[in-house]
């Protein structure tokens, strides 16, 4: 039985036992095909558009769910959204966070019409979050900001009025920047993880900067801490003491995005240099048990963490693919020491509880000629030893970027999401862009990152040797080099003539039928301007890897990014997040350029990130 068709029974806190059926769990190369009905990509493609709204094919409809500020019922609190942003920090901890990102649907019954929607809240727009913005920071604003990031767990159900949030729900939960969590794996408790507040180095408050995600075969959610560095800082004059590792990770005093450090001293790197070591991890959350403590899994390495996409090797070990989204950073793979105990029942969950704590981390090298190698990041191997600055495995993991340098991994054009084809096991990664490729003092183009000044990004893929995710060698090629083919010199190269153009691919999701959903994140500063004009606003496309066709499916409101994507197990609903509508603001004008979804003209309402539930009007399989 494929992973996503296994029933399981669990006890969830005080909630009654529930029978759950998973949706898009870990893809496995052995997962049987289930193409469903209808012509692949049979929908009416939509044009690129600068329209300030949601556009989907005419045979589809969308519905709004869970915008920022929606009450969750957490702690029996239902604070309604205050349109003037006057909600308190405590209110925000019981409401939807800002900037919805990676997301998964965990079905709660065999109908597939009841489930948990679990999503990340990536970052904050402080101007929108507080009534008077942040001309003056306060301790209360820091708390509210921390509470606006993290993860939401909500229960949803499909009714004759469409998908609705179930309130109250025993599953409802907000995990945020102040939630107590555990640190586990080889780096836990080691000197670089110890702080004044936690001398044991094994516990931390909070997760934030939660971007892409993953799902384990035993039914837990993996949230990934991406741009955590921007929340740490300190007095500018402390920057001269920054170490090479701090500079590489961007946790340098004076470079902060927000002024947390002035009100919460743990964010001051000049006073607490180890606190940033406790961020930049993959965090495991059990969405079915609201009392379960989230756990940071250090065996997977520290980076500006993108996806943690799981699959199972031929011998039953877990394999997790990860990207590190900065210019010239690496792609990683983790292979567990132990085998996955199959199933999602209580016994399997207990048996797999420590699976992410022991294993081997690798970084990828993409060689010319289409071959590649996984390079082991283990202390004592490949020169990763004290003589080269790595005292032990904890240091290799905490400074995984430096370890990747040492072994000669390939510096990529900003690796974002990773998705695995459910039948072939081929692995696809979005490389979103890299405007500095080829600049003076920066790495030149290479085989895998072939374009200097790579404005539009692309999608690269590989096939592990012998079709085994645990292999150390692989074959790779480019699925697409994105851009506007009409732009001279854009170098755009799509897999077929019938591919719609896009730029800055980011979110990536394979549904069970093998359709690849691609989401874009062009910066708000460039949308609608040359050479990006013809690409319109950010968009979502659907690709059929078998034919190379790529068809535009959705375009979003002004200034937004489209990110977070999951197709339900019955393939009849597609959940998508609209992140930061209105984010683009012209110089000197702080007014957001969209009021979506509450207003139709910019300035008429605070724009809010939100989830869309998208279905075919005839209830058919999405993407066909
Ligand atoms: Fe949060 Fe790299 O996108
Ligand atoms: Ca992203
Ligand atoms: Ca991005
Ligand atoms: Ca964005």
């Amino acid at each position: 039985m494929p992973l996503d068709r296994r029933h399981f029974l669990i006890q969830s806190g005080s909630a009654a036992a529930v029978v759950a059926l998973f949706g898009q769990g870990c893809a496995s190369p052995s997962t049987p095909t289930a193409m469903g009905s209808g012509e692949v990509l049979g929908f009416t493609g939509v044009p690129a558009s600068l329209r300030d709204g949601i556009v989907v094919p005419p045979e589809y409809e969308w519905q709004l769910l869970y915008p920022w500020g929606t009450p969750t019922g957490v702690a029996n609190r239902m604070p309604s959204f205050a349109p003037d942003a006057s909600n308190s920090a405590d209110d925000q901890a019981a409401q939807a966070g800002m900037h919805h990102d990676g997301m998964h649907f965990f079905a709660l019954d065999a109908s597939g019409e009841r489930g948990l929607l679990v999503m990340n809240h990536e970052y904050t727009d402080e101007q929108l979050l507080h009534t008077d913005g942040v001309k003056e920071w306060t301790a209360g604003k820091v708390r509210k900001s921390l509470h606006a990031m993290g993860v939401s767990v909500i229960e949803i159900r499909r009714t004759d009025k469409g998908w609705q949030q179930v309130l109250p729900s025993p599953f409802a939960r907000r995990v945020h920047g102040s939630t107590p969590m555990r640190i586990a794996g080889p780096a836990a408790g080691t000197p670089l993880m110890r702080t004044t507040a936690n001398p044991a180095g094994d516990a931390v408050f909070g997760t934030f900067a939660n971007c892409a995600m993953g799902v384990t075969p035993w039914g837990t959610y993996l949230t990934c801490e991406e741009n955590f560095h921007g929340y740490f800082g300190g007095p500018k004059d402390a920057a001269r003491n920054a170490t090479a590792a701090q500079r590489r990770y961007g946790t340098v005093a004076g470079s902060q995005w927000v002024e947390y450090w002035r009100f919460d001293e743990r964010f001051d790197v000049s006073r607490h240099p180890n606190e940033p070591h406790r961020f930049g991890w993959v965090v495991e959350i059990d969405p079915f048990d609201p009392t379960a403590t989230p756990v940071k899994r250090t065996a997977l390495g520290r980076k500006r963490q993108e996806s943690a996409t799981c699959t199972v090797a031929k011998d039953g070990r877990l394999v997790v693919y990860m990207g590190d989204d900065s210019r010239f950073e690496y792609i990683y793979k983790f292979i567990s020491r132990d085998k996955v105990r199959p199933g999602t029942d209580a016994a399997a969950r207990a048996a797999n509880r420590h699976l992410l704590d022991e294993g081997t981390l690798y970084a990828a090298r993409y060689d010319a000629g289409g071959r590649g190698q996984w390079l082991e990041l283990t202390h004592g191997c490949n020169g990763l030893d004290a003589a080269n600055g790595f005292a032990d495995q904890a240091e290799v993991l905490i400074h995984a970027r430096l370890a990747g340098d040492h072994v000669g991994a390939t510096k990529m054009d900003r690796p974002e999401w990773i998705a695995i084809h459910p039948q072939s096991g081929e692995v696809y990664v979005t490389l979103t862009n890299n405007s500095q490729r080829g600049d003076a003092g920066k790495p030149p183009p290479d085989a895998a990152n072939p374009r200097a000044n790579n404005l539009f990004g692309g999608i690269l893929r590989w096939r592990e040797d012998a079709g085994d995710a645990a292999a150390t060698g692989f074959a790779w090629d480019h699925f697409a080099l994105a851009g506007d083919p009409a732009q001279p010199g854009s170098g755009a190269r799509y897999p077929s003539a019938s591919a719609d153009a896009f730029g800055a691919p980011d979110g990536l999701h394979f549904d069970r039928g093998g359709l690849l959903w691609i989401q874009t994140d062009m910066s708000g500063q460039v949308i609608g301007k040359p050479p990006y004009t013809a690409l319109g606003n950010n968009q979502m496309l659907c690709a059929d890897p078998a034919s190379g066709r790529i068809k535009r499916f959705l375009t979003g409101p002004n200034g937004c990014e489209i990110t977070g994507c999951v197709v339900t197990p019955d393939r009849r609903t597609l959940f998508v997040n609209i992140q930061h509508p209105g984010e683009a603001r012209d110089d000197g004008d702080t007014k957001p350029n969209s009021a979506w979804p509450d207003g139709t003209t910019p300035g008429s309402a605070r724009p809010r990130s939100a989830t869309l539930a998208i279905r075919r009007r005839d209830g058919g399989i999405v993407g066909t």
Side-chain angles (χ1 to χ4, degrees), residues 123 521 561 579-580:
Y123 62 101
D521 179 22
E561 163 186 351
Q579 191 191 85
H580 63 66

Side-chain angles (χ1 to χ4, degrees), residues 79-433:
S80 52
F81 176 67
D84 64 353
S86 60
N87 286 118
S88 67
D90 287 341
D91 290 348
Q92 179 62 79
Q95 294 174 321
M98 291 190 121
H99 288 47
H100 304 27
D101 208 311
M103 169 170 59
H104 189 70
F105 177 84
F106 294 85
L108 279 169
D109 64 27
S111 76
E113 300 201 335
R114 186 176 156 244
L116 302 182
L117 198 61
V118 183
M119 76 180 73
N120 293 341
H121 299 287
E122 187 185 15
Y123 62 101
T124 49
D125 183 327
E126 304 292 340
Q127 295 300 332
L128 294 179
L129 184 62
H130 314 291
T131 303
D132 60 351
V134 283
K135 261 191 225 141
E136 303 245 13
W137 274 91
T138 64
K141 287 180 183 178
V142 172
R143 280 186 70 232
K144 186 176 183 186
S145 181
L146 283 165
H147 293 174
M149 294 184 283
V151 173
S152 285
V153 180
I154 57 170
E155 183 179 344
I156 56 172
R157 176 194 297 274
R158 204 168 83 84
T159 70
D160 53 8
K161 294 193 191 79
W163 286 95
Q164 295 197 326
Q165 188 182 354
V166 175
L167 286 169
S169 164
F171 299 103
R173 186 175 194 187
R174 277 297 321 285
V175 171
H176 52 64
S178 305
T179 305
M181 22 200 93
R182 204 158 65 74
I183 300 172
T190 61
L192 288 177
M193 297 295 262
R194 296 176 195 156
T195 62
T196 321
N198 172 229
D202 60 355
V204 63
F205 286 110
T207 185
F208 47 80
N210 309 82
C211 189
M213 41 62 68
V215 181
T216 65
W218 52 95
T220 56
Y221 183 81
L222 302 176
T223 186
C224 299
E225 300 178 334
E226 189 196 12
N227 291 313
F228 65 94
H229 64 292
Y231 300 87
F232 291 93
K236 255 200 180 77
D237 60 3
R240 63 176 177 274
N241 301 322
T243 64
Q246 285 174 324
R247 291 188 192 283
R248 180 60 177 273
Y249 280 86
T251 51
V252 176
S255 67
Q256 63 274 358
W257 298 345
V258 291
E259 299 300 305
Y260 285 11
W261 68 279
R262 295 181 191 277
F263 298 91
D264 187 343
E265 68 170 66
R266 72 175 171 129
F267 292 100
D268 185 342
V269 293
S270 68
R271 299 175 72 184
H272 300 286
N274 285 350
E275 186 68 12
H277 296 155
R278 296 135 64 83
F279 293 84
W281 302 105
V282 172
V283 186
E284 185 174 14
I285 296 173
D286 184 347
F288 296 95
D289 180 0
T291 67
T293 303
V295 186
K296 301 203 176 189
R297 300 294 184 187
T298 63
L300 279 63
R302 176 168 164 265
K303 48 193 104 72
R304 290 189 200 162
Q305 203 79 241
E306 281 286 350
S307 303
T309 305
C310 298
T311 189
V312 178
K314 283 189 171 170
D315 65 4
R317 288 178 294 163
L318 184 75
V319 175
V320 186
Y321 293 104
M322 296 164 282
D324 181 348
D325 179 10
S326 293
R327 298 181 186 104
F328 308 111
E329 289 299 343
Y330 304 122
I331 291 172
Y332 296 82
K333 161 162 111 171
F334 169 83
I335 306 179
S336 65
R337 182 190 65 190
D338 299 329
K339 294 179 183 175
V340 177
R341 172 163 168 157
T344 49
D345 53 76
R349 293 161 84 82
N352 295 322
R353 196 167 50 217
H354 302 296
L355 204 86
L356 290 167
D357 290 337
E358 298 279 357
T360 307
L361 187 65
Y362 300 83
R365 191 186 71 213
Y366 297 83
D367 296 326
R371 289 287 306 162
Q373 286 292 319
W374 290 106
L375 308 169
E376 186 171 340
L377 304 180
T378 299
H379 188 255
C381 297
N382 296 325
L384 298 172
D385 52 26
N388 287 311
F390 301 95
D392 52 21
Q393 183 63 15
E395 210 161 333
V396 170
L397 296 168
I398 291 168
H399 296 149
R401 288 178 161 188
L402 305 182
D405 293 350
H406 198 78
V407 301
T410 301
K411 296 181 179 298
M412 309 298 288
D413 286 346
R414 298 186 53 199
E416 297 252 21
W417 289 50
I418 294 174
I420 304 174
H421 190 290
Q423 285 87 40
S424 73
E426 281 181 334
V427 188
Y428 288 63
V429 62
T430 46
L431 300 172
T432 196
N433 59 57

Side-chain angles (χ1 to χ4, degrees), residues 509-543:
H509 175 71
F510 267 114
D511 67 27
R512 288 175 52 216
L515 294 179
L516 181 64
W517 298 85
I518 303 165
Q519 301 173 312
T520 74
D521 179 22
M522 293 180 292
S523 148
Q525 308 310 311
V526 305
I527 290 170
K529 297 175 186 162
Y532 304 88
T533 319
L535 302 179
N537 282 346
N538 278 311
Q539 55 178 289
M540 184 162 79
L541 309 98
C542 189

